[in-house]
Amino acid sequence: MLNRLPTSSWSQTTAAHLLNRAGFGGAPEHVAALHELGCEQAVNALLDGKLPFTSKQSAPIRPDWLDGEADPEEEEIKNKLQALRGKRPKANDPSGVKQAEERRKLQRMIRQIANRRSAELNKWWFETLCTTKHPLNEKVTLFWHGHFVSSLEKVRTPRLMFEQNELFRKMGMGDSRELTRRMARNPAMMIYLDLSNSRAEKPNENYARELLELFTLGEGHYTETDIKEAARAFTGMRLNRLTGEVNFSPRNHDNSSKTFLGKTGNLGADDIVEIIFSTDRASEFLSHKLLRYFVIDTPPDDLVNQLAAELRRNEFNIHKTLRALFLSAEFYARPFLRGRIKSPVEFLTQISQHLELDRIPDQLAVRAQRDLGQILFRPPNVAGWPGGKLWINTNTLLNRYNLAGVLSRGHDDPDYAMEVISLTGKGMGKGMSKNRNAKNSKVREAIAKRFPRPDFTTIAPDPLRSDPEKLIESLTFRFFQYPVRKDDHERFLSFARTKSESGKTIDDTELAELIHLMLSTPYYQLT
Amino acid sequence: MTPHLSTRRKFLRTGVLGAAATASVPAFLERTFAGMHNAAAASATQFATGKDSPIFVVVQLAGGNDGLNTIVPWGHDDYYTARKKIAIPQNEVTVIDDEIGFAPSIPFIREAYDNGEMTLVQGVGYPNPNRSHFRSTEIWEQATSSDRTARTGWLGRYFDNDCQGADPTVGIALANQQPDAFAAEEKQGISLSAPELYKWIDNDEEHESRNNVFEQLNEPSSDSMTESGASTGNMTAGTVKDTGLKSAADSLDFLEHTALDARVSSDTIGQLIKKSNSRTVYPNTPIGRNLQLISRMIEGGLSTRVYYASHGGFDTHTNQTGSHPIRLGQLDDSLRAFFKDIKAQGNFNRVVLMTFSEFGRRVNENASGGTDHGAAAPLFLLGGGIKPGVVGKHPSLTDLHQGDIKFNVDFRSVYASVLDNWLEGSSEAVLGGKFPKLDLFKKA
């Protein structure tokens, strides 16, 4: 059993921890508002998406194709393609060559639409993560995206990736057994793991293998025979790639007897999932994965077992299980506070709130995801983002530091902006190469457009500007929500003092320099 | 700022270990510096004595290079039957023997072969080939059998196993993301996409005070926060999907060491890049720029054992007579410039470069004047240390496996030879098994 967090332990620090882990972090005022509620109400507010605050940034505009609005141009192409289907003339028939050409042309047009939509989809979700009223729901959606992995790289149809994303959003907080059952007939997953053409005579083992190894049990808890038997149970699902329709084709389903994890019968897809979840191992595996995502990279055994018991007690309901976790003393244990390395998405959503940014420009958001190693809708492989240590190497760490500079300093420090532009070339500096004089008003305007604007008045109101101690105290809570090591505190303080010597107040550019230093630290990479 | 810090900074840049500095640096730093100093000293001796440590350069041909239009089986009618539109005519092939020859787009590789500086390994692949780019690349980079995945790559395992005490620049990948081959438990090398960006960007290099603060903030702490990181009991056994960070203290410790690696290597590389003596002109292509960078790093005397670069655009499903020779030509031109530099530096005998691609392509051309994903293909090794010639037989063009030529050399045999006979490592530990070695190197 998990222990309840004593009321006396609820503080700004624990409230911040909850907001960081069960959401995407927040500005100090958000932490304060959550703290006001008390632990239980705060947890409920996160679970139900009823937070006492909303994002400053405006919610993204939904691309209309997300909601199934038929795009006449796309429909026409698809109809033409559909008409060409099945018409496969003999190799030496000259009309065959023409048809093949026509088909390729249509497919190229489909790809162009897909590329445009891939970009729109990424932008939409990224901005949703930054602005959502229900951060926990999005965080859970991102969890499942990294668990039941599919990628645009292989799926190629943004609409199908979006439908899967919506499924995670709608069902992700519910019964995870049901979600697992749904995966076997989810179009994006069927494409990604080759279920769509698995038939009785030739079962494809890809899905069955990953289901057991990566989604539910983990290596060593099943045999190669279990994979083969499960693969037979998953045969017969058919997907029409053009319409996204899924059908069960009894003709292609293997109806003979199978033996899976010791149970024998004419097992179907749902039976396999039921057998999997009847084992304790399934709850332990999911528990470990949830703890890695919400608590600590390598969780202790006893905690894994405790949360596994919660999963079983709550019939694998994620909402109830997370409620127990977030209310527990274990969740707030000292070694776990600021103990996880931020994923790139967490880094970006948190920094955007810490700096009170109006928004991160599209191109920069995409570039940042790529440079930091987490592109939404494109996990690197079926195992998902490995996370933990593997988020960080010397290159991605320097990329984080420099991105922090771009976001905190670029807008108000034209010299810094020009330095970044001269180094990064294209991307950031598009169309600005001719005039590199930062004093030029047109250049300044262009910089202002490309670099997001932190709200320095909110971050450091006037009284703080002439009081280095108070300023550092305030910024430390804003960025770290936890004390920093003594040496670093001294360094921040002495830097602030040199900028406010003899009663001078710190201006925005100097404040930005200080902030860039505070964010260019190993410590800021933790949450 | 305290004065010894600026001294330390200079020290970091120059690599000179002074006794005064030793007294004031934390223990960890001291170890790192000592390690670097030794490495620098060793490489200086190596230059003087000529007993230099070997360097291995990997060039990935991403997308699946068409082996049959690279090393052309001109002596086989089957080749011309299968590729009516895209076969390379006999009169354009530079003949190796009555069976095979070089495509016209790789004259430098051909010259290297003529000069005894190139080895061609034919028909390289693996059992049960996978035709997905990502999966097959993973297989090559992790060096597993095709039904297994690993958490680490073959070069990462080499760093972990055989390069104890080396500094973080033991492996350098010129890539935005770390290649799978570098993934390691401990020592993953470094990845950088552009050396000019591989640093903490500030708008004023002379702004000592800001830079000093930055450097201090990125040093492992002496007053560590370990009190916050008391162990929490037994760790999950048998679960391999986490990376071993059990507490805030673990995570911070890992980040601090990476931060130090980043700072040290970015200083080193930043300095090296500036002081090259080379006047060789490289093609203005990504592979050209990356090989130039590698040449400069070798010239600068880094103690790096493995460099990695990638050259893309080999996924030639359509009209490949246009694109494929261009891609090969870009590679060939870049290799010419690279080896010219390496020879001028006097490093030719310590550098071996190997190409690889995730798969070759189908024997039959497709309807779009291209080729689809295939399996086995040839690879090249170039350099002064290789034993020149042709290894392995050209695979049959008629005895096929699902339309693809069958491999006759397992790529892990090539790796085993590289590891044992060139990199002075232990292939059995790195590859998790014994693979028959090939006769690829002079010193073996």
Side-chain angles (χ1 to χ4, degrees):
Chain A
M1 275 290 275
L2 294 164
N3 296 298
R4 219 25 205 268
L5 181 78
T7 320
S8 60
S9 301
W10 182 247
S11 64
Q12 294 258 352
T13 300
T14 43
H17 178 67
L18 177 65
L19 189 56
N20 286 339
R21 301 303 183 85
F24 294 96
E29 54 170 318
H30 301 151
V31 176
L34 198 66
H35 177 237
E36 279 290 292
L37 293 179
C39 184
E40 182 154 8
Q41 289 313 312
V43 168
N44 289 341
L46 274 160
L47 283 164
D48 301 331
K50 292 188 174 135
L51 290 165
F53 50 81
T54 50
S55 165
K56 280 194 178 163
Q57 304 179 15
S58 45
I61 300 157
R62 269 171 96 86
D64 50 9
W65 60 268
L66 289 189
D67 298 308
E69 294 280 315
D71 172 347
E73 185 196 351
E74 187 194 12
E75 288 304 306
E76 200 189 320
I77 300 169
K78 281 186 172 175
N79 289 339
K80 282 185 185 163
L81 263 177
Q82 195 81 291
L84 282 172
R85 260 192 159 188
K87 282 191 194 163
R88 293 203 186 267
K90 301 217 163 57
N92 49 8
D93 178 354
S95 74
V97 178
K98 236 183 150 184
Q99 276 187 20
E101 249 166 42
E102 176 70 8
R103 189 179 293 121
R104 269 199 303 281
K105 200 181 102 198
L106 292 168
Q107 277 161 348
R108 193 161 52 238
M109 289 163 82
I110 294 264
R111 270 203 304 280
Q112 281 162 356
I113 294 177
N115 288 344
R116 195 180 66 225
R117 289 182 175 178
S118 297
E120 288 172 0
L121 184 61
N122 180 290
K123 172 177 149 73
W124 171 79
W125 196 20
F126 181 76
E127 290 180 3
T128 300
L129 296 178
C130 292
T131 57
T132 175
K133 293 193 173 98
H134 199 342
L136 178 59
N137 198 21
E138 292 305 318
K139 198 126 198 198
V140 167
T141 302
L142 183 57
F143 170 80
W144 291 120
H145 176 45
H147 181 82
F148 290 122
V149 170
S150 304
S151 167
L152 266 174
E153 291 294 330
K154 181 161 175 181
V155 176
R156 284 171 186 268
T157 312
R159 189 195 293 274
L160 298 182
M161 286 303 292
F162 171 71
E163 280 170 20
Q164 187 186 66
N165 193 252
E166 279 284 271
L167 183 66
F168 293 150
R169 190 167 289 109
K170 288 196 182 109
M171 297 195 50
M173 307 267 286
D175 183 345
S176 45
R177 296 171 304 190
E178 177 58 17
L179 187 62
T180 310
R181 282 192 282 272
R182 291 285 189 102
M183 277 302 118
R185 37 185 189 274
N186 174 261
M189 180 60 82
M190 290 177 69
I191 294 169
Y192 189 68
L193 290 180
D194 308 309
L195 259 185
S196 54
N197 41 27
S198 183
R199 49 181 210 277
E201 311 85 77
K202 210 172 174 245
N204 188 305
E205 292 171 11
N206 210 1
Y207 182 76
R209 178 181 301 279
E210 306 307 2
L211 175 71
L212 299 181
E213 180 185 334
L214 298 171
F215 301 163
T216 60
L217 294 174
E219 240 179 321
H221 297 273
Y222 53 87
T223 63
E224 284 293 309
T225 316
D226 288 324
I227 292 176
K228 291 199 163 61
E229 298 287 292
R232 291 169 51 215
F234 285 111
T235 51
M237 296 306 288
R238 280 287 172 274
L239 168 71
N240 181 331
R241 280 194 75 142
L242 286 178
T243 61
E245 238 172 278
V246 176
N247 290 305
F248 180 68
S249 147
R251 199 161 51 85
N252 289 303
H253 178 69
D254 185 333
N255 248 323
S256 54
S257 175
K258 307 152 191 100
T259 301
F260 176 71
L261 294 179
K263 302 248 162 55
T264 304
N266 177 12
L267 305 172
D270 288 356
D271 300 321
I272 298 293
V273 175
E274 195 179 320
I275 295 169
I276 288 173
F277 280 98
S278 69
T279 67
D280 279 0
R281 176 60 201 170
S283 61
E284 288 157 14
F285 184 88
L286 184 57
S287 161
H288 181 266
K289 206 132 183 210
L290 285 168
L291 289 169
R292 267 205 87 192
Y293 187 77
F294 286 105
V295 183
I296 192 78
D297 175 60
T298 303
D301 264 351
D302 47 2
L303 190 53
V304 173
N305 294 334
Q306 281 163 332
L307 196 71
E310 287 293 343
L311 274 167
R312 295 193 298 269
R313 184 169 27 249
N314 294 307
E315 309 251 287
F316 291 88
N317 180 289
I318 298 298
H319 187 282
K320 289 179 185 165
T321 305
L322 287 181
R323 185 167 195 277
L325 178 67
F326 296 150
L327 287 173
S328 75
E330 287 81 355
F331 176 70
Y332 301 92
R334 191 95 190 268
F336 306 149
L337 300 182
R338 290 202 79 73
R340 267 185 69 249
I341 295 176
K342 288 171 187 165
S343 66
V345 165
E346 287 174 312
F347 176 86
L348 291 167
T349 52
Q350 287 195 19
I351 203 171
S352 138
Q353 303 196 65
H354 294 161
L355 295 173
E356 315 265 352
L357 296 181
D358 42 4
R359 61 187 284 274
I360 300 181
D362 305 348
Q363 282 193 339
L364 189 54
V366 172
R367 193 193 165 107
Q369 289 174 48
R370 197 195 61 212
D371 288 353
L372 303 190
Q374 186 180 28
I375 306 176
L376 295 171
F377 296 107
R378 293 178 196 273
N381 57 50
V382 62
W385 291 285
K389 274 185 187 178
L390 297 176
W391 286 131
I392 299 288
N393 59 43
T394 54
N395 200 38
T396 55
L397 185 63
L398 289 170
N399 284 342
R400 284 185 183 211
Y401 290 180
N402 290 331
L403 194 66
V406 166
L407 298 178
S408 59
R409 277 170 81 184
H411 196 278
D412 288 272
D413 188 342
D415 290 332
Y416 179 82
M418 291 316 291
E419 177 80 13
V420 170
I421 287 168
S422 72
L423 289 170
T424 50
K426 284 188 241 162
M428 289 296 297
K430 227 181 225 169
M432 295 183 56
S433 50
K434 282 194 185 119
N435 194 338
R436 291 231 159 145
N437 182 359
K439 303 283 182 296
N440 181 302
S441 66
K442 277 210 174 123
V443 173
R444 294 196 76 133
E445 221 172 87
I447 288 173
K449 225 190 254 170
R450 274 187 189 89
F451 292 83
R453 183 173 59 85
D455 180 355
F456 288 125
T457 317
T458 305
I459 295 174
D462 274 342
L464 291 181
R465 304 280 183 121
S466 48
D467 187 342
E469 270 90 13
K470 286 231 170 73
L471 175 65
I472 297 300
E473 189 191 338
S474 165
L475 293 180
T476 298
F477 185 75
R478 172 176 290 273
F479 297 129
F480 308 108
Q481 306 94 41
Y482 207 74
V484 296
R485 58 189 202 194
K486 224 187 296 147
D487 286 1
D488 288 353
H489 179 79
E490 286 304 317
R491 284 162 190 146
F492 297 148
L493 195 56
S494 83
F495 188 86
R497 281 194 181 122
T498 60
K499 301 295 171 193
S500 59
E501 269 161 3
S502 55
K504 183 185 149 310
T505 54
I506 296 175
D507 66 27
D508 283 357
T509 310
E510 292 163 339
L511 182 67
E513 285 172 12
L514 171 64
I515 289 173
H516 185 206
L517 281 168
M518 294 181 84
L519 305 184
S520 300
T521 52
Y523 202 39
Y524 188 69
Q525 314 317 315
L526 294 174
T527 189
Chain B
M1 297 309 111
T2 42
H4 83 262
L5 285 163
S6 112
T7 317
R8 187 188 309 170
R9 183 158 175 242
K10 286 210 183 74
F11 155 74
L12 263 177
R13 295 220 159 134
T14 54
V16 175
L17 183 62
T22 322
S24 58
V25 293
F28 171 76
L29 283 173
E30 198 183 314
R31 277 204 307 281
T32 309
F33 291 172
M36 287 187 56
H37 178 64
N38 291 341
S43 73
T45 340
Q46 284 160 5
F47 282 119
T49 60
K51 283 185 202 154
D52 305 333
S53 50
I55 291 171
F56 184 56
V57 182
V58 181
V59 175
Q60 177 197 28
L61 308 181
N65 177 38
D66 184 8
L68 294 173
N69 273 18
T70 306
I71 295 299
V72 183
W74 69 274
H76 291 270
D77 289 344
D78 300 318
Y79 169 71
Y80 292 97
T81 318
R83 298 184 162 202
K84 294 219 158 55
K85 284 190 210 144
I86 64 158
I88 295 175
Q90 290 185 342
N91 60 11
E92 290 181 20
V93 174
T94 309
V95 169
I96 297 175
D97 56 27
D98 57 9
E99 191 182 17
I100 55 170
F102 292 99
S105 50
I106 47 172
F108 170 73
I109 294 176
R110 190 201 69 219
E111 284 165 35
Y113 176 79
D114 291 343
N115 297 335
E117 299 166 352
M118 194 278 268
T119 302
L120 164 67
V121 189
Q122 305 210 78
V124 189
Y126 55 89
N128 303 315
N130 192 299
R131 287 173 187 80
S132 135
H133 290 294
F134 115 74
R135 181 62 195 132
S136 195
T137 304
E138 207 173 67
I139 291 164
W140 274 81
E141 303 233 348
Q142 296 177 344
T144 56
S145 56
S146 66
D147 59 348
R148 286 274 168 273
T149 59
R151 249 205 313 185
T152 53
W154 73 286
L155 294 167
R157 292 195 295 273
Y158 164 70
F159 303 149
D160 275 348
N161 255 290
D162 300 310
C163 304
Q164 287 305 314
D167 74 53
T169 53
V170 62
I172 299 183
L174 280 303
N176 202 18
Q177 290 295 318
Q178 172 183 283
D180 284 344
F182 272 34
E185 299 290 350
E186 294 289 329
K187 203 174 271 298
Q188 53 191 358
I190 62 169
S191 309
L192 59 114
S193 41
E196 62 276 14
L197 288 175
Y198 189 72
K199 64 174 186 181
W200 188 65
I201 300 171
D202 201 5
N203 54 331
D204 185 357
E205 290 253 340
E206 300 312 307
H207 207 301
E208 281 287 316
S209 80
R210 208 157 51 216
N211 233 315
N212 274 332
V213 179
F214 171 74
E215 295 189 352
Q216 293 160 23
L217 289 169
N218 282 279
E219 266 167 23
S221 48
S222 42
D223 65 330
S224 78
M225 304 185 67
T226 32
E227 27 94 35
S228 69
S231 172
T232 47
N234 293 331
M235 295 307 146
T236 332
T239 313
V240 292
K241 301 299 177 197
D242 52 42
T243 65
L245 303 175
K246 292 172 277 199
S247 66
D250 280 355
S251 300
L252 188 57
D253 190 57
F254 164 75
L255 282 162
E256 285 179 342
H257 287 88
T258 309
L260 183 70
D261 283 355
R263 249 187 54 212
V264 171
S265 57
S266 94
D267 271 358
T268 319
I269 288 167
Q271 292 300 307
L272 279 179
I273 299 304
K274 285 181 199 145
K275 58 178 195 205
S276 167
N277 292 316
S278 164
R279 293 284 168 273
T280 307
V281 179
Y282 282 74
N284 188 24
T285 53
I287 186 63
R289 287 190 291 274
N290 284 338
L291 282 175
Q292 178 173 39
L293 214 52
I294 291 173
S295 149
R296 287 186 179 184
M297 291 191 268
I298 293 172
E299 179 187 3
L302 280 187
S303 52
T304 305
R305 307 297 293 271
V306 179
Y307 294 94
Y308 186 107
S310 185
H311 179 39
F314 286 93
D315 196 16
T316 48
H317 287 283
T318 49
N319 301 327
Q320 83 169 69
T321 47
S323 57
H324 189 243
I326 293 174
R327 294 297 171 180
L328 278 182
Q330 289 170 343
L331 172 71
D332 196 74
D333 290 345
S334 307
L335 290 175
R336 184 186 295 278
F338 177 74
F339 279 106
K340 185 180 168 200
D341 263 354
I342 295 296
K343 279 183 177 168
Q345 293 164 14
N347 282 324
F348 188 58
N349 287 328
R350 62 190 287 243
V351 175
V352 163
L353 181 144
M354 180 187 87
T355 63
F356 85 95
S357 192
E358 67 264 40
F359 39 62
R361 307 192 77 85
R362 285 282 148 89
V363 175
N364 287 323
E365 65 192 8
N366 63 24
S368 325
T371 45
D372 298 323
H373 301 181
L379 63 74
F380 301 120
L381 291 141
L382 296 110
I386 54 93
K387 192 174 273 185
V390 179
V391 173
K393 287 179 67 166
H394 195 279
S396 163
L397 295 178
T398 46
D399 176 21
L400 302 178
H401 172 254
Q402 298 175 355
D404 288 326
I405 49 182
K406 295 175 178 170
F407 80 103
N408 47 34
V409 174
D410 191 306
F411 71 97
R412 288 163 295 180
S413 274
V414 179
Y415 289 2
S417 320
V418 168
L419 287 163
D420 289 341
N421 300 340
W422 181 249
L423 284 172
E424 295 156 6
S426 44
S427 68
E428 272 194 69
V430 171
L431 300 175
K434 242 188 165 136
F435 292 90
K437 275 178 274 182
L438 309 167
D439 190 15
L440 300 175
F441 301 100
K442 285 176 183 160
K443 66 179 181 179

